[in-house]
């Protein structure tokens, strides 16, 4: 098993990673074929994704199609992509059963079942799997598509499991699909950059019972690493973490 070069652009899967069932390989290659037809890859940092053992992969979510770009990258890195997905996706005829069969993890937002999903993620990590999460829980509301404040579930999962948190930053998906544009979807291969970063340093919060303040601080640290990595590939200075709750409060005050 050899580690990839930082600029690895694997056409095929990296050797030595997760074994996959034949049906999962078929579904993954369908997604991969679609992404190869829609994107021109600029990949790097794959050496930060371990070939074996648990890891929490987090990504900046700003487009409806960017999860598929992350699936492609993680699959080629040699791991089985397991996403935390909105439960409603799994109710879609035909699509839902296929997605569930590949080991994806449903969650109902704002419900008691969200805690059950967290426990499911813990079990996946305990079995040596990787799980993929958007800490924001939805497409960012930041006007220029920068990361916003995340939800603290990611912090609790990281501290309780001890699994490394590895940021994956990506940019370029808006060239393929943008919900704010008409038409939203555009054909043709668009340049897309995907880069895995070193694990987030969470050592100041390890080996102790975390407080609410600790969970918020860990979540911010994760989002700040994502923001810094995104600033590098965008070639722009990143703004402070966007807080949608504060934004709603400001809008309410301005309307009075």
């Amino acid at each position: 098993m050899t580690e990839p070069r930082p600029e690895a652009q694997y056409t095929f899967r990296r050797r030595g990673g997760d074994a996959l069932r034949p049906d999962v390989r078929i579904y993954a290659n369908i997604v991969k074929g679609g992404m190869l037809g829609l994107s021109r890859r600029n990949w790097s940092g794959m050496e930060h994704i371990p070939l074996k053992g648990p890891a929490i992969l987090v990504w900046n979510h700003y487009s409806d199609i960017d999860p598929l770009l992350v699936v492609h990258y993680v699959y080629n890195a040699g791991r089985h992509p397991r996403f935390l997905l909105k439960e409603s996706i799994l109710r879609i005829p035909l699509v839902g059963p296929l997605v569930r069969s590949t080991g994806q993890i449903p969650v109902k937002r704002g419900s008691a079942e969200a805690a059950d999903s967290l426990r499911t993620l813990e079990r996946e990590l305990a079995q040596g799997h990787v799980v993929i999460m958007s800490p924001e829980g939805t497409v960012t509301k930041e006007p220029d598509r920068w990361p916003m404040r995340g939800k603290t579930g990611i912090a609790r999962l990281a501290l309780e499991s001890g699994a490394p948190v590895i940021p994956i930053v990506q940019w370029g998906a808006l060239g393929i699909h943008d919900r704010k544009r008409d038409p939203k979807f555009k054909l043709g291969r668009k340049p897309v950059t995907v880069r895995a970063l070193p694990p987030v340093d969470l050592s100041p919060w390890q080996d102790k019972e975390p407080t609410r303040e600790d969970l918020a601080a860990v979540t911010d640290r994760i989002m700040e690493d994502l923001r810094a990595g995104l600033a590098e590939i965008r070639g722009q200075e990143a703004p402070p973490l966007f807080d949608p709750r504060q934004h709603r409060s400001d809008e309410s005050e301005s309307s009075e």
Side-chain angles (χ1 to χ4, degrees):
M1 293 184 294
T2 59
E3 281 300 298
R5 302 182 308 276
E7 70 278 10
Q9 305 267 338
Y10 284 118
T11 300
F12 303 103
R13 287 190 84 218
R14 182 179 169 200
R15 294 180 180 272
D18 295 330
L20 299 177
R21 300 194 319 260
D23 61 325
V24 174
R25 285 184 177 273
I26 291 170
Y27 304 146
N29 279 302
I30 290 172
V31 173
K32 178 177 172 177
M35 293 303 98
L36 286 172
L38 292 171
S39 64
R40 296 198 310 273
R41 299 176 300 155
N42 179 13
W43 284 1
S44 61
M46 204 176 277
E47 72 276 12
H48 298 303
I49 297 181
L51 279 167
K52 296 292 184 181
I56 304 167
L57 311 182
V58 296
W59 95 99
N60 60 301
H61 190 13
Y62 62 92
S63 165
D64 295 317
I65 204 168
D66 61 41
L68 297 180
L69 299 172
V70 176
V71 164
H72 186 189
Y73 181 89
V74 173
Y75 176 80
N76 273 36
R79 301 308 303 260
H80 179 170
R82 288 177 172 85
F83 271 81
L84 188 66
L85 297 175
K86 291 186 294 184
E87 191 268 344
S88 58
I89 293 175
L90 302 184
R91 295 199 301 267
I92 300 173
L94 298 179
V95 173
L98 289 179
V99 170
R100 188 183 292 275
S101 73
T102 63
Q104 308 313 309
I105 303 159
V107 61
K108 285 185 178 179
R109 293 185 198 158
S111 73
E113 292 186 30
D116 293 336
S117 297
L118 197 62
R119 286 189 285 272
T120 300
L121 292 173
E122 291 173 348
R123 289 194 295 270
E124 294 284 350
L125 292 168
Q127 294 172 33
H129 299 156
V130 297
V131 298
I132 308 174
M133 299 177 66
S134 163
E136 299 146 298
T138 186
V139 173
T140 181
K141 302 300 190 295
E142 204 280 333
D144 291 324
R145 321 298 177 104
W146 291 96
M148 61 182 181
R149 285 204 121 88
K151 299 181 184 301
T152 57
I154 180 65
R156 189 175 297 279
L157 180 65
L159 296 178
E160 291 183 357
S161 69
V165 178
I166 300 170
I168 297 177
V169 292
Q170 46 86 33
W171 190 245
L174 293 176
I176 303 170
H177 185 278
D178 184 352
R179 62 170 65 177
K180 298 181 181 180
R181 181 181 63 212
D182 188 21
K184 296 179 176 60
F185 189 83
K186 288 189 176 181
L187 293 174
R189 299 180 70 216
K190 307 299 190 298
V192 172
T193 298
V194 185
R195 178 182 300 170
L197 306 176
V200 181
D201 180 12
L202 301 180
S203 57
W205 298 279
Q206 290 172 337
D207 301 321
K208 66 174 185 175
E209 185 66 28
T211 63
R212 291 178 61 183
E213 290 74 19
D214 290 334
L215 294 175
V218 167
T219 305
D220 281 353
R221 172 66 61 85
I222 293 168
M223 298 311 300
E224 286 163 359
D225 278 19
L226 277 170
R227 180 186 61 182
L230 182 60
E232 186 173 343
I233 65 175
R234 286 178 62 167
Q236 299 173 332
E237 183 176 349
L241 282 179
F242 181 77
D243 189 335
R245 294 168 297 181
Q246 182 62 45
H247 184 67
R248 285 194 295 269
S249 175
D250 292 344
E251 285 184 339
S252 297
E253 291 178 3
S254 64
S255 64
E256 291 178 355

